[in-house]
Amino acid sequence: MSQREFQHVLLTGGCGFIGTNFVRFFLEQRPDARLTNLDALTYSGNAESLRDLEDEPRYRFVHGNIRDRPTVDALVRECDAVVHMAAESHVDRSIQDASPFISTNIGGTQTILDGVRQAKGDGHDVRMCYVSTDEVYGQLPLDRPDLLFREDTPLAPSSPYAASKAAGDMLCAAYHHTFALDIVTTRCSNNFGPYQFPEKVIPLFVTNLIEGEPVPLYGDGRNVRDWLHVLDHCEAVLRVLEGGASGEVYNVGGNNERSNLELTHEILRCMDQGEEMIRPVADRLGHDLRYAIDAGKIERELGWEPTRSAWPGALEATIDWYRENDQWWRRVKSGAYREYYRSQYGRTK
Ligand code: NAD
Ligand code: DAU
């Protein structure tokens, strides 16, 4: 399909990590367009992150749940595109309790799809971009560095989180096939950058070290992730939304693989801390060994490539952001967060 720009985008989950960055990125990149952000403000949603946009006429925040069909229907009708990224997003929490993952990531995605279907039935065509994840592919072995996830790699999710995202992914494919909805999907690797909830490994380790606390490394630290700066991801989502072929999936990756041990050493080095700050803890159940992305399709077809993800610069800049914005994460790391931390890290190896 040809490139098109949308006048009014409905974003779900805009008060989360990637959402907050996407709101800012989109308003900056598309100065004539509007964005409505639908977010339920769960534990990982933070309205404070976008408080400075309160008076921006092109931005609107709607406090609501993606499972609320009347709200979704009304908002979809006002927009010409939906970027759907609201989700329960943390693997460890899905291992503690899968229920909210099934409800939001599957039921919520169905509600959005039904809203788009209803709008199309009423003569109002809306393009939808589903922000999926590389975790839908499952894991790669550690001893085959030649293997990468491609868009045609079979889905084989391992965790309840990944299974719920894969179900959403497949619902999108089914609604495209059955109802001819205009849907594109991205599957991205691990993001890092500002505004990430400090349950995820980079902000968790960085903020722990700022507080003088050790960093809880799972298992033997050999598991590998591919790290992409969140703004590179935002740019990829916008490229796919505006130029992706209907019904197609696009992998997004940073070509930036690190074992968790390497990542930990890199953070310790950037923060002038020693190995004694590593606290080995029991491994994550079913811990996926390695994720690695072949992002050739989005590079070839849409001209996207990561430009902000290279280490150590991008990692150092991220660490600086958490140093300079401690009021943001200190507020988050209180109350219910402490309860979660105790339940997740209470046991040692
Ligand atoms: P996040 O947990 O930081 O943010 C999720 C947001 O969704 C929060 O603002 C939350 O309030 C909102 N939300 C949750 N349930 C909702 C509901 N029922 N109704 C409305 N809003 C709800 O997550 P994130 O890391 O920003 O991830 C965003 C999306 O990107 C997710 O779909 C995730 O699967 C996907 N993704 C994330 C990464 C990553 O590395 N973080 C990588 C690939 C894909
Ligand atoms: O790959 C994309 C996915 O990346 C997204 O779909 C998810 O929403 C996002 O949370 C992320 O999932 P991971 O499970 O890879 O991210 P997390 O930051 O939780 O963990 C990264 C690696 O660090 C993983 O191998 C587990 C390890 N880890 C994590 C935590 C929280 C630790 O060793 N200790 C920890 O305390």
Side-chain angles (χ1 to χ4, degrees):
M1 67 164 274
S2 57
Q3 177 81 14
R4 30 173 186 156
E5 290 187 8
F6 296 95
Q7 295 308 305
H8 189 173
V9 168
L10 171 63
L11 172 70
T12 69
C15 293
F17 163 47
I18 300 171
T20 294
N21 283 283
F22 188 83
V23 168
R24 295 181 184 286
F25 181 80
F26 180 82
L27 293 175
E28 193 184 292
Q29 296 289 317
R30 295 291 172 263
D32 297 324
R34 289 183 294 149
L35 184 144
T36 294
N37 168 16
L38 172 63
D39 197 296
L41 297 180
T42 67
Y43 78 92
S44 73
N46 190 343
E48 284 304 311
S49 308
L50 292 167
R51 189 69 73 199
D52 58 305
L53 292 180
E54 249 168 9
D55 297 328
E56 166 58 63
R58 295 185 296 122
Y59 172 69
R60 174 175 57 153
F61 171 56
V62 177
H63 185 191
N65 199 300
I66 56 166
R67 296 219 56 183
D68 176 7
R69 184 72 197 272
T71 299
V72 167
D73 278 0
L75 293 177
V76 168
R77 232 179 279 274
E78 292 177 21
C79 298
D80 50 0
V82 179
V83 175
H84 173 38
M85 61 171 76
E88 289 293 333
S89 68
H90 192 40
V91 172
D92 293 322
R93 288 184 192 256
S94 81
I95 293 167
Q96 290 188 351
D97 177 12
S99 305
F101 290 76
I102 306 306
S103 173
T104 288
N105 299 1
I106 305 177
T109 299
Q110 182 208 344
T111 310
I112 303 285
L113 286 164
D114 283 335
V116 173
R117 180 186 173 197
Q118 175 82 46
K120 184 181 169 76
D122 295 342
H124 179 63
D125 281 329
V126 174
R127 164 160 272 218
M128 172 170 164
C129 176
Y130 175 65
V131 178
S132 191
T133 168
D134 62 356
E135 298 204 14
V136 299
Y137 297 119
Q139 65 177 345
L140 294 166
L142 291 178
D143 60 355
R144 289 290 308 277
D146 55 309
L147 294 181
L148 302 172
F149 296 136
R150 293 159 38 103
E151 286 81 358
D152 57 3
T153 301
L155 303 195
S158 315
S159 69
Y161 160 71
S164 69
K165 289 296 293 184
D169 199 311
M170 293 172 101
L171 276 174
C172 288
Y175 274 62
H176 168 76
H177 180 82
T178 307
F179 307 114
L181 299 192
D182 183 10
I183 302 177
V184 284
T185 296
T186 59
R187 294 184 187 143
C188 186
S189 60
N190 286 61
N191 286 213
F192 67 98
Y195 299 108
Q196 188 166 27
F197 194 84
E199 64 189 350
K200 308 288 165 57
V201 72
I202 290 182
L204 174 68
F205 282 16
V206 169
T207 58
N208 272 18
L209 290 169
I210 295 173
E211 291 182 302
E213 298 290 330
V215 299
L217 183 65
Y218 292 161
D220 58 14
R222 289 171 67 227
N223 306 62
V224 171
R225 297 292 183 266
D226 168 47
W227 292 100
L228 182 79
H229 192 275
V230 62
L231 290 177
D232 277 335
H233 185 191
C234 292
E235 183 169 53
V237 168
L238 190 57
R239 289 276 174 103
V240 170
L241 178 73
E242 293 182 344
S246 193
E248 289 296 309
V249 173
Y250 296 86
N251 279 351
V252 183
N255 205 11
N256 194 24
E257 285 182 57
R258 297 283 192 291
S259 73
N260 292 333
L261 200 54
E262 288 169 330
L263 166 72
T264 306
H265 280 135
E266 192 94 28
I267 292 174
L268 290 171
R269 190 191 57 75
C270 291
M271 299 186 70
D272 290 323
Q273 306 269 340
E275 289 214 3
E276 70 283 359
M277 295 308 281
I278 300 177
R279 175 183 159 219
V281 295
D283 207 354
R284 173 183 282 175
L285 296 178
H287 196 172
D288 280 340
L289 291 171
R290 172 174 171 251
Y291 304 145
I293 285 277
D294 177 347
K297 179 174 171 180
I298 189 172
E299 288 169 16
R300 279 190 308 277
E301 295 186 12
L302 300 176
W304 174 90
E305 58 180 14
T307 57
R308 307 164 178 89
S309 299
W311 287 11
L315 182 63
E316 284 164 359
T318 297
I319 293 171
D320 285 345
W321 189 88
Y322 288 94
R323 280 198 177 108
E324 287 157 16
N325 292 275
D326 69 314
Q327 79 292 351
W328 182 86
W329 56 262
R330 281 190 202 281
R331 206 170 14 223
V332 168
K333 272 185 135 179
S334 61
Y337 178 90
R338 290 184 188 282
E339 205 40 59
Y340 164 75
Y341 199 88
R342 256 192 301 277
S343 70
Q344 181 64 22
Y345 300 102
R347 64 213 163 110
T348 48
K349 224 176 180 178

